[in-house]
Structures are given as C-alpha cells and as structure tokens.
Amino acid sequence: SQKIEQNSEALNIQEGKTATLTCNYTNYSPAYLQWYRQDPGRGPVFLLLIRENEKEKRKERLKVTFDTTLKQSLFHITASQPADSATYLCALVSGGSYIPTFGRGTSLIVHP
Amino acid sequence: DSGVTQTPKHLITATGQRVTLRCSPRSGDLSVYWYQQSLDQGLQFLIQYYNGEERAKGNILERFSAQQFPDLHSELNLSSLELGDSALYFCASSESGLHSYEQYFGPGTRLTVT
C-alpha cells in the first residue's frame, strides 16, 4: 500500500545550524512533492514544490532535494532560527489524481 | 494571512447532531478542498470542488457532504456526529481544478463532539 514516512520524533537543533528533515515514500509515482509548514492549531502554509524531474530547489534559506530512485525528499533549513520551530509536512501529488497526500509531519524545535 | 476564511473557529456539539462548516476561498481561486486533521490520522483529504462541481473524493464518510456555491464559497455538512469526528477541519483553495501546485489553507474549524 502507499505510504509516506516522516520522522515522528521531534528534531531538536541549535540556532544557526542546518536542519534536515526527511520524507520517504513507497508505492507512489509522484508527479511532484510539496513541503508545508504548520504551526500549532493553524493551517499548513505552502513552502516549496519540486517536480519529479528536478533534483533540487532552493528558496532563501530553504532547500529541497528529490531522489525518485531512493524515493526520498530532504528538506533543509540553513542558519535555522527559533522562529523556524514548527511542524513540517511533506505531500506527494500523483499524476493521476493531483490531490496531495500528506505525511504526518516532523516537529522541528530550534533552541536559541 | 492566506486569504482563505473559515467559520466558525470553534464548534462544540453533542453526538448525533449536525453542523455546517463554511469556507471562503482566496479571491480568484476556483478550487476548494476540505481536509480533516486528527492526532491519530494526520491530514486527510475529504473532497474537492472546482467551480461548483465535485471534482475528487477522498476518505469522506457518507454522513459528511459538501457543496460549492455560485459565489465559490463552500460548506461542509457533518451529520450524526460521533465522538471520533472531533478534529480540526481545514479548507484550502487553489487557482486550478486539476493541478494543486500550491494550496492555500484557511485557519481551520476545531470541532469538538461531546
């Protein structure tokens, strides 16, 4: 069956370091993959999209990689700040339905 | 602020009751999506409407229904409520009906069924 896996354990890092979050999937052929940020009790906020034929995408301090062979996406936040503390969700979009399927998210905590 | 509005923000009701959640998409967006988020299930897609027509259906219970009106606002109706329906309900909107390249989420409605 289709599965999206994000680390359920919170990632704790020191301010200024690079945070790396992982999204693994099985039994999907995604057309593209999205990353969202969600703060407690609030709606997800779109951050980045990467297509199946793209290896890497950047936006300011954010970088996403997409390896369709490994079936994995990595999400990096460089020079992390306490304000980056949130839950980060990955979502896969298959070419058939074009409806995002979300992972459970990983909580990031950046300590000052 | 995403530009998507949802009302009410909080709703507390009893089992067996019926409630209606309302969503107004961003100006210009024709698609509305409804999601349910609970602690044990994560963010689950329920249903999508595009320009007034149902376009895609996810794990939506038969007790739940939705519609999109000519002014593009949408309503999600939940009936015969059970304790397990307690969750955050989000609506999201996007420009296109087919490609949800970027979805804009509303602030959510927190439903508590007692």
Side-chain angles (χ1 to χ4, degrees):
Chain A
S1 63
Q2 295 179 324
K3 212 171 180 182
I4 301 172
E5 288 181 345
Q6 293 187 257
N7 200 337
S8 57
E9 277 187 32
L11 177 64
N12 285 271
I13 64 168
Q14 282 302 123
E15 183 175 8
K17 300 292 187 187
T18 296
T20 299
L21 306 174
T22 305
C23 176
N24 295 305
Y25 61 92
T26 53
N27 296 322
Y28 268 104
S29 295
Y32 48 92
L33 186 148
Q34 301 164 323
W35 282 90
Y36 289 79
R37 168 186 172 138
Q38 186 174 25
D39 292 283
R42 306 190 72 165
V45 175
F46 173 81
L47 297 174
L48 277 170
L49 177 151
I50 187 164
R51 300 175 196 276
E52 61 176 333
N53 59 351
E54 296 176 315
K55 296 289 186 192
E56 183 180 298
K57 207 78 169 280
R58 290 174 188 259
K59 180 182 174 184
E60 296 170 356
R61 294 184 297 113
L62 309 179
K63 184 178 90 172
V64 172
T65 63
F66 194 11
D67 189 327
T68 54
T69 303
L70 287 179
K71 297 188 185 301
Q72 181 182 78
S73 174
L74 299 178
F75 177 78
H76 307 271
I77 305 176
T78 57
S80 59
Q81 304 163 1
D84 295 327
S85 299
T87 295
Y88 291 85
L89 307 171
C90 77
L92 270 66
V93 183
S94 297
S97 71
Y98 292 105
I99 300 294
T101 302
F102 285 83
R104 299 289 297 273
T106 297
S107 173
L108 171 66
I109 302 167
V110 182
H111 299 276
Chain B
D1 183 2
S2 66
V4 177
T5 60
Q6 287 187 250
T7 56
K9 196 167 175 58
H10 300 278
L11 202 45
I12 301 174
T13 189
T15 53
Q17 295 299 305
R18 173 189 166 95
V19 296
T20 297
L21 312 184
R22 184 187 165 104
C23 167
S24 291
R26 281 190 332 154
S27 176
D29 285 356
L30 298 179
S31 266
V32 169
Y33 307 77
W34 284 98
Y35 292 88
Q36 178 192 58
Q37 188 175 41
S38 58
L39 282 174
D40 58 338
Q41 289 292 326
L43 196 62
Q44 298 285 313
F45 168 70
L46 296 177
I47 197 164
Q48 178 201 3
Y49 276 81
Y50 174 70
N51 205 20
E53 301 289 327
E54 180 186 305
R55 197 197 159 266
K57 222 166 181 174
N59 300 322
I60 188 166
L61 299 171
E62 283 192 16
R63 301 183 286 109
F64 296 0
S65 65
Q67 55 184 324
Q68 187 178 29
F69 295 86
D71 67 352
L72 301 177
H73 91 270
S74 178
E75 292 180 357
L76 179 67
N77 300 295
L78 314 176
S79 61
S80 302
L81 285 168
E82 302 174 359
L83 295 177
D85 298 327
S86 296
L88 266 170
Y89 290 84
F90 290 106
C91 94
S93 72
S94 68
E95 282 181 10
S96 164
L98 182 60
H99 294 278
S100 55
Y101 289 130
E102 189 171 334
Q103 292 192 351
Y104 297 87
F105 282 79
T109 292
R110 183 175 294 280
L111 173 66
T112 303
V113 183
T114 61

